[in-house]
Amino acid sequence: MEHSFIKALSEIVGAQYTLSDPESLACYGYDSTPELQSRPGVVVLPGTSEEIAKVMALCDGAGVRVTPRGSGTNLSGGSISFDSGVVLQTSRMNRILEIDEENLTATVETGVITSTLHREVEAKGLFYPPDPGSMNISTMGGNVAENSGGLRGLKYGVTDDYVMGLKTILADGEVLKTGGKVVKDVAGYNLNQLLVSSEGTLGVFSEITVKLIPKPQTKKTMLVHFPQLEQAALTVSHITAARIIPATLEFLDRTTIKCVEEYAHVGLPLDVDAVLLIEVDGHPAQVEEDAAGIRDICERHHCSFFQTAATPEEALKLATARRVALSALARVRPTTILEDATVPRSCIAPMVKLIQDTAKKYDLLIGTFGHAGDGNLHPTCLTDERNPDEIARAHRAFGEIFEATIAMGGTITGEHGVGVAKKKYLPKLVGESGLKVMRGIKGAFDPRGILNPGKIF
Ligand SMILES: Cc1cc2nc3c(=O)[nH]c(=O)nc-3n(C[C@H](O)[C@H](O)[C@H](O)COP(=O)(O)OP(=O)(O)OC[C@H]3O[C@@H](n4cnc5c(N)ncnc54)[C@H](O)[C@@H]3O)c2cc1C
């Protein structure tokens, strides 16, 4: 990248926040997605919305491409600049601007870490439910751009259920404000919802207003062992069919259980096909009733062990089994390909079976865990990118898994986004007309195509 352009950027954000040395460029050349790397031309860390607007106007004028980046925890290659452009990193914009207890909203700068917001609102008896597994590092801006889900998605929904207002800097530096604190707003197209999930391709969020709810009074955490996979899967759909909506209904298969136990020593059984982590929350009487109903359903489906946490510490330990699943799997082999196949809840049993059969067919080690209550499974292939033959088999296996997912009425990504990692599967899912509309929207927001090019389609 030309020195004069880097100098112009540094005049906007400050020289210490303009990084172009080889070490920094190497650090920002990858995210949490395996196999993908590419060094940007320069990295800028703006400190205000005004600085973002000036950076965008400069880049738009010069036709230089910009990739927004929060903490780089996405799993679809979304925050990598593949054309030596500008990476715009948001970590300096980390202030919680307001917690409005009358309107039940919080307004944050884009770089606020998700769990920081959790802590701040919970200290006031309020609750911001979206809790991606990465919540201790991911940013609110990244969560909005990916429409992140989490362990509490079944009962409380995902990020887009909470976004009420956005301040977005468009590709040419213009500021777009959408929504706000009003609960009802039907004035024109719902641009908030359109911008959520846009993966950095339509604009750069600088401020985000989210809805808060009262913090649940109490919760109960349960861990249930199932000798047979089918019974665990049936339990998931029968719990919701019984009109019980747990906050959390998570699944770990045999491979994942083994890896978690070797890593975290939480006392998981090594001789069962599956465990479910279940959490119910709310009014104490309701929690008791739901927990009893769940126990009954689990026993009717031949669970071999049903454990209820007696203390908050024990609850944390049980939840750890699920929270550490990815880290536990990731240490087994050098490369971890974490996928995001999502099917209707009733298809979980055939989907998990299909994943296991496909792993056998291609001689791969694949562990599956995920948000079973949402039908959102994470088949995770433990491999080594230095072995081209194994990597090719992994890609063929995932191709088949996604074909089957679509055939079951599911989707190629429930929460990780398309980015570059999954764009080859998108046409099959949304069809030509879907792609045409999406391209039209991209053109309306970013006619020169400078924002996060090559992502989604
Ligand atoms: C261990 C682990 C567990 C995870 N668990 C979950 C989970 O449970 N649920 C889930 O949904 N995801 C999960 N993820 C994926 C990931 O953490 C989320 O997608 C997260 O929202 C990304 O946030 P980030 O700040 O790291 O964003 P980045 O990875 O930096 O960016 C993600 C995308 O957002 C865009 N972007 C970032 N900031 C902005 C902005 N200000 N304006 C516009 N676009 C922007 C980027 O261009 C990119 O396309 C997990 C990842 C890991 C590594």
Side-chain angles (χ1 to χ4, degrees):
M1 183 162 290
E2 281 185 26
H3 183 69
S4 58
F5 189 76
I6 294 177
K7 188 160 179 296
L9 287 170
S10 74
E11 279 162 11
I12 298 171
V13 299
Q16 70 274 45
Y17 300 120
T18 309
L19 313 176
S20 56
D21 56 293
E23 292 79 9
S24 300
L25 299 184
C27 289
Y28 287 96
Y30 63 94
D31 54 26
S32 303
T33 321
E35 299 181 78
L36 296 175
Q37 282 184 24
S38 180
R39 287 182 192 200
V42 62
V43 180
V44 290
L45 290 84
T48 62
S49 302
E50 293 69 32
E51 286 183 8
I52 298 180
K54 285 182 186 164
V55 167
M56 292 311 302
L58 179 71
C59 292
D60 194 53
V64 172
R65 294 162 164 201
V66 181
T67 296
R69 181 178 174 110
S71 296
T73 66
N74 78 90
L75 296 155
S76 49
S79 56
I80 303 174
S81 165
F82 287 98
D83 39 29
S84 309
V86 174
V87 162
L88 188 157
Q89 210 267 343
T90 61
S91 59
R92 286 179 65 213
M93 297 184 59
N94 60 1
R95 288 178 307 152
I96 294 180
L97 300 173
E98 182 190 39
I99 296 174
D100 180 340
E101 294 184 59
E102 275 182 37
N103 286 305
L104 294 188
T105 61
T107 299
V108 300
E109 288 186 322
T110 184
V112 165
I113 301 296
T114 318
S115 63
T116 305
L117 179 63
H118 289 155
R119 276 196 300 279
E120 294 293 321
V121 302
E122 284 175 33
K124 294 179 186 296
L126 296 169
F127 195 44
Y128 174 68
D131 61 339
S134 53
M135 65 189 187
N136 290 326
I137 19 172
S138 67
T139 63
M140 289 296 291
N143 288 183
V144 174
E146 298 286 9
N147 193 11
S148 294
L151 273 63
R152 302 192 278 238
L154 174 59
K155 177 170 178 181
Y156 292 106
V158 297
T159 303
D160 76 352
D161 295 306
Y162 293 87
V163 174
M164 294 180 71
L166 291 170
K167 183 172 176 184
T168 305
I169 315 301
L170 298 177
D172 60 1
E174 203 178 312
V175 178
L176 172 71
K177 286 191 178 166
T178 51
K181 292 184 182 180
V182 285
V183 175
K184 298 171 80 176
D185 180 2
V186 293
Y189 296 138
N190 190 337
L191 296 180
N192 268 341
Q193 293 282 304
L194 181 60
L195 286 162
V196 176
S197 297
S198 59
E199 301 190 27
T201 63
L202 300 183
V204 184
F205 312 128
S206 65
E207 289 177 19
I208 300 159
T209 298
V210 292
K211 175 172 85 175
L212 304 174
I213 59 175
K215 190 175 162 198
Q217 283 172 297
T218 186
K219 68 177 180 182
K220 219 178 225 333
T221 307
M222 296 150 273
L223 192 75
V224 197
H225 306 174
F226 287 90
Q228 286 175 332
L229 175 71
E230 288 72 19
Q231 295 297 339
L234 280 174
T235 301
V236 170
S237 27
H238 287 180
I239 287 175
T240 47
R243 315 287 186 267
I244 300 172
I245 306 294
T248 295
L249 184 38
E250 298 283 313
F251 164 89
L252 274 71
D253 77 347
R254 188 184 274 266
T255 305
T256 312
I257 293 169
K258 182 169 175 287
C259 295
V260 167
E261 192 47 33
E262 279 166 5
Y263 173 62
H265 311 295
V266 284
L268 293 182
L270 297 177
D271 57 348
V272 298
D273 263 6
V275 298
L276 294 179
L277 171 75
I278 310 172
E279 210 158 76
V280 285
D281 67 2
H283 188 278
Q286 187 67 52
V287 165
E288 286 304 324
E289 192 180 318
D290 286 351
I294 288 170
R295 183 172 194 134
D296 182 48
I297 294 168
C298 290
E299 285 171 353
R300 274 193 278 128
H301 288 90
H302 313 294
C303 68
S304 54
F305 187 61
F306 189 102
Q307 186 178 4
T308 306
T311 61
E313 293 73 35
E314 233 179 272
L316 200 66
K317 195 172 166 197
L318 296 190
T320 302
R322 167 60 183 92
R323 288 257 175 224
V324 302
L326 179 54
S327 318
L329 287 165
R331 65 198 269 282
V332 175
R333 300 283 310 276
T335 307
T336 310
I337 306 180
L338 171 67
E339 280 302 354
D340 192 22
T342 306
V343 291
R345 225 178 264 141
S346 54
C347 297
I348 285 180
M351 192 64 210
V352 175
K353 174 91 176 44
L354 182 128
I355 293 167
Q356 291 178 342
D357 291 348
T358 311
K360 260 193 212 122
K361 175 175 166 190
Y362 288 102
D363 190 21
L364 295 165
L365 184 57
I366 299 184
T368 301
F369 64 97
H371 317 296
D374 303 336
N376 185 189
L377 294 171
H378 294 313
T380 304
C381 182
L382 313 178
T383 177
D384 185 345
E385 62 183 297
R386 294 165 300 184
N387 180 342
D389 171 61
E390 191 171 283
I391 289 289
R393 280 186 276 123
H395 287 298
R396 280 207 298 280
F398 279 121
E400 284 183 21
I401 290 170
F402 285 126
E403 287 262 327
T405 306
I406 295 171
M408 287 180 193
T411 179
I412 55 172
T413 170
E415 56 181 21
H416 294 167
V418 177
V420 285
K422 260 176 267 176
K423 66 180 185 176
K424 67 176 175 227
Y425 304 116
L426 189 67
K428 177 113 196 177
L429 184 74
V430 302
E432 251 325 297
S433 53
L435 283 179
K436 194 169 121 196
V437 173
M438 288 192 203
R439 287 203 181 97
I441 292 168
K442 169 73 176 165
F445 273 81
D446 177 19
R448 288 167 65 101
I450 67 152
L451 259 170
N452 218 1
K455 310 295 160 58
I456 304 182
F457 35 67

